[in-house]
Amino acid sequence: MRRIAKFATNPVVVALVASLAIAGCASKKSPNSAADLGLGGAGAATPGSSQDFTVNVGDRIFFDTDSSSVRADAQGILARQAQWLNKYSQYAVVVEGHADERGTREYNLALGARRAAAARDYLISQGVSAKRLKTISYGKERPVAVCDDISCWSQNRRAVTTLSGAGS
Amino acid sequence: MKHVIRAILLISAMASGMTAFATLPARALVEIDVNKGNVEPLPIAITDFLSGDGIGAEIAGIVAADLKRSGLFAPIDKAAFIEKISNPDVAPRFEDWKVINAQALVTGRVSQEADGRLKAEFRLWDTFAGQQLAGEQFFANKANSRRIAHIIADAIYERLTGEKGYFDTRVVFIDETGAKTARKKRLAIMDQDGANVRYLSDGRAMAMTPRFSPTRQEITYMSYESGQPQVYLLQIETGQRELVGNFPGMTFAPRFSPDGQKVIMSLLRDDGNSNIFSMDLRSRTTTRLTNSSAIDTSPSYSPDGSKVVFTSDRGGQPQIYVMGADGSGQTRVSFGGGSYSTPVWSPRGDLIAFTKQSGGQFQIGVMKTDGSGERILSTGFQQEGPTWAPNGRVVMFFRDAPGGGGPKLYSVDLTGRNEQAIPTQGFASDPAWSPLLD
């Protein structure tokens, strides 16, 4: 993880990484973007790059159990995403919807799709053109955090906004 | 495509001077009572079939393993046998088998025909009545020797229980490899006992939820190969694949109709909800069955094709609903507390198997088709996705144990007492049982 390595000199991030390790979760990504942690600063990310989007805007939002309602904390992230996407209009976007493992496979595919649609609709409400936005559901098949309790499940119930290169 | 030719074994019995008992009225030595707590398995002696090589012992071993896993039979250790069967065409010394409490005895012979085919004969004896209960012979290619054994096990099961067997069947499932965060999921097929595994997709695209055609060597499943999850058909023998329909959004949760002519599935709407459609595979016409602002998925037809059971969260959480096959009369049937999903109609028509989530546990259970008479067969941390054996007496499902790293397959009978692990090399999920082969 390049970005974790990059921030590793920051004591806040070191503490975060350590607490995740104690929780026993093999998490590929920290649960929130650097911006959410109040670290500020774009670091070396080039403005308008996908790294800029992931690190400074935050590429994902989280959901409550069996819910596809966009939470208040997620609305702020999506509003920032929309602002950034409206500024850098060269990107097409795929919103991935995911579910935690505490549901059955087919139902969770449907739930992931509904979460992706909820995030997409919020971006549209913030002025992002519907033509740039696609959705896909991965159900519970692509967790980012693997353990047997809520510390992981809450990270897996997510919608991730991914930039798919230059849009039309 | 007949791989195995079957004939009733009467002639040799009469030629050797014995009475032919094939016309005896059927008497079930084993009673299948799904409401009974403890079924005492029937002690049965299965002798090595006579053969010039090891194949006779191999076939007897497969028959014994099938019968044992059903939970209804207790094969007796061969070391206890007193009589050594040297001619399976003559009556055994019943006293020798009664004294070791073998209620039933299986004898047989495997030989090779001039054309290279295998010929397998078996006889089933009621030792206490001193009678032959069944006698049949089968011809098949050597490559099908395991199938011959399963067919013999089915014949024994049927003669002794009065119900059709389920051993000459296959299971299609998802083979899972790699880390959970990037797991490869590919289609695979095997015999119901875990033998003869074959992979049907290469794993480059994630595949899930395969379901058997009731009438052809064909499956329907969902795959990410086009980028968007979509429902496909796959001919098992030829490998030929075909997209089902041409829908703009995700299609998923497919299943065949009982006549094999339709696929019923979920289609994602633009608002993020999912509705149920059926598609006629000949005319390619689609029919919308549900139209709710909710998730409607996991549809499964009743065996007469007149009804569909499905999952919907229209009431706030996933529950089981039943409707007419035209979408009429949508009625909730699950009221047991907790949430319910993956309903599957029994091939006998009498029960619906389901996954229930309650109190942080996942349960596999069955209920009557009106939702009454719920019975939980298995409880675990994470388990789901029942599929019925074709005789409607056993369900298979997949379970992910905490810290276990991945799912494995299990079967359980309708008493819930006889749970068996299905051996697979790696992790496995989404089992779907085939009909009896022919």
Side-chain angles (χ1 to χ4, degrees), chain A residues 26 28 66 101-107 109-111 113-115 117-118 120-121 135-146 148-149 153, chain B residues 176 180-181 183 185 208-209 211 224 227-228 250 252-253 268 270 272-273 295 298 313 318 341-342 355 357 360 362 381-382 384 402-403 429-430:
Chain A
K28 278 176 75 180
D66 201 13
E101 69 194 89
R102 305 302 285 172
T104 51
R105 187 167 261 173
E106 289 173 347
Y107 180 79
L109 272 170
L111 182 59
R114 196 155 67 184
R115 285 173 174 162
R120 175 203 62 191
D121 291 349
T135 61
I136 188 168
S137 175
Y138 287 101
K140 61 173 174 175
E141 312 305 323
R142 285 286 177 263
V144 289
V146 178
D148 294 324
D149 60 55
W153 303 334
Chain B
E176 299 197 10
K180 220 167 197 172
T181 52
R183 186 155 284 170
K185 296 187 169 104
M208 295 190 291
T209 63
R211 315 293 183 202
Y224 281 75
Q228 189 70 241
M250 170 170 81
F252 63 108
L268 184 67
D270 193 51
N273 286 303
I295 291 171
S298 302
D313 70 351
S341 53
T342 75
T355 306
Q357 283 176 258
F362 281 64
F381 176 69
Q382 179 89 40
E384 63 178 279
S429 62
D430 274 347

Side-chain angles (χ1 to χ4, degrees), chain B residues 144-438:
Chain B
N144 289 318
S145 62
R146 291 191 69 92
R147 276 204 63 195
I148 291 185
H150 293 312
I151 290 169
I152 291 171
D154 278 332
I156 295 166
Y157 181 100
E158 183 170 353
R159 185 62 186 80
L160 293 179
T161 68
E163 305 220 358
K164 283 271 180 204
Y166 55 92
F167 304 121
D168 185 29
T169 54
R170 296 198 281 178
V171 173
V172 62
F173 65 101
I174 298 300
D175 169 76
E176 299 197 10
T177 47
K180 220 167 197 172
T181 52
R183 186 155 284 170
K184 192 185 266 196
K185 296 187 169 104
R186 58 179 172 164
L187 296 171
I189 190 168
M190 64 184 179
D191 297 347
Q192 51 79 26
D193 61 353
N196 291 325
V197 177
R198 191 154 68 87
Y199 300 101
L200 302 176
S201 71
D202 59 18
R204 269 181 296 189
M206 191 156 58
M208 295 190 291
T209 63
R211 315 293 183 202
F212 254 100
S213 164
T215 54
R216 296 179 298 275
Q217 287 298 308
E218 187 178 27
I219 58 171
T220 181
Y221 66 104
M222 194 209 75
S223 166
Y224 281 75
E225 65 185 74
S226 74
Q228 189 70 241
Q230 303 259 257
V231 169
Y232 292 82
L233 297 174
L234 171 69
Q235 310 294 329
I236 294 169
E237 305 295 340
T238 65
Q240 190 190 332
R241 283 177 309 157
E242 185 188 335
L243 187 65
V244 177
N246 183 22
F247 301 100
M250 170 170 81
T251 51
F252 63 108
R255 248 179 229 284
F256 285 98
S257 60
D259 64 3
Q261 291 308 320
K262 283 185 232 165
V263 167
I264 192 167
M265 60 191 165
S266 279
L267 170 61
L268 184 67
R269 309 199 311 191
D270 193 51
D271 70 354
N273 286 303
S274 302
N275 288 153
I276 294 170
F277 283 72
S278 67
M279 175 159 170
D280 188 300
L281 294 175
R282 280 181 294 205
S283 68
R284 300 279 149 177
T285 53
T286 55
T287 308
R288 173 196 287 276
L289 301 183
T290 71
N291 190 10
S292 73
S293 295
I295 291 171
D296 295 337
T297 192
S298 302
S300 166
Y301 278 100
S302 61
D304 67 0
S306 70
K307 287 183 176 146
V308 172
V309 63
F310 64 102
T311 304
S312 178
D313 70 351
R314 61 185 66 178
Q317 65 173 168
Q319 296 292 344
I320 295 175
Y321 291 72
V322 172
M323 62 182 169
D326 58 357
S328 62
Q330 301 177 14
T331 310
R332 178 173 162 184
V333 297
S334 61
F335 290 98
S339 68
Y340 291 76
S341 53
T342 75
V344 191
W345 215 299
S346 158
R348 300 167 79 96
D350 55 344
L351 296 170
I352 291 165
F354 56 79
T355 306
K356 178 179 182 177
Q357 283 176 258
S358 166
Q361 300 279 303
F362 281 64
Q363 299 176 310
I364 303 297
V366 294
M367 58 171 69
K368 291 183 186 161
T369 59
D370 63 0
S372 67
E374 175 176 313
R375 192 159 65 229
I376 298 301
L377 306 181
S378 174
T379 299
F381 176 69
Q382 179 89 40
Q383 53 184 15
E384 63 178 279
T387 179
W388 288 94
N391 73 350
R393 292 306 195 190
V394 179
V395 297
M396 197 181 289
F397 59 96
F398 65 105
R399 170 187 296 154
D400 214 339
K408 301 289 269 181
L409 307 185
Y410 295 84
S411 67
V412 64
D413 69 354
L414 290 189
T415 68
R417 299 277 175 140
N418 177 38
E419 186 178 292
Q420 302 279 336
I422 310 297
T424 53
Q425 204 175 15
F427 294 130
S429 62
D430 274 347
W433 221 311
S434 80
L436 273 176
L437 303 176
D438 58 23

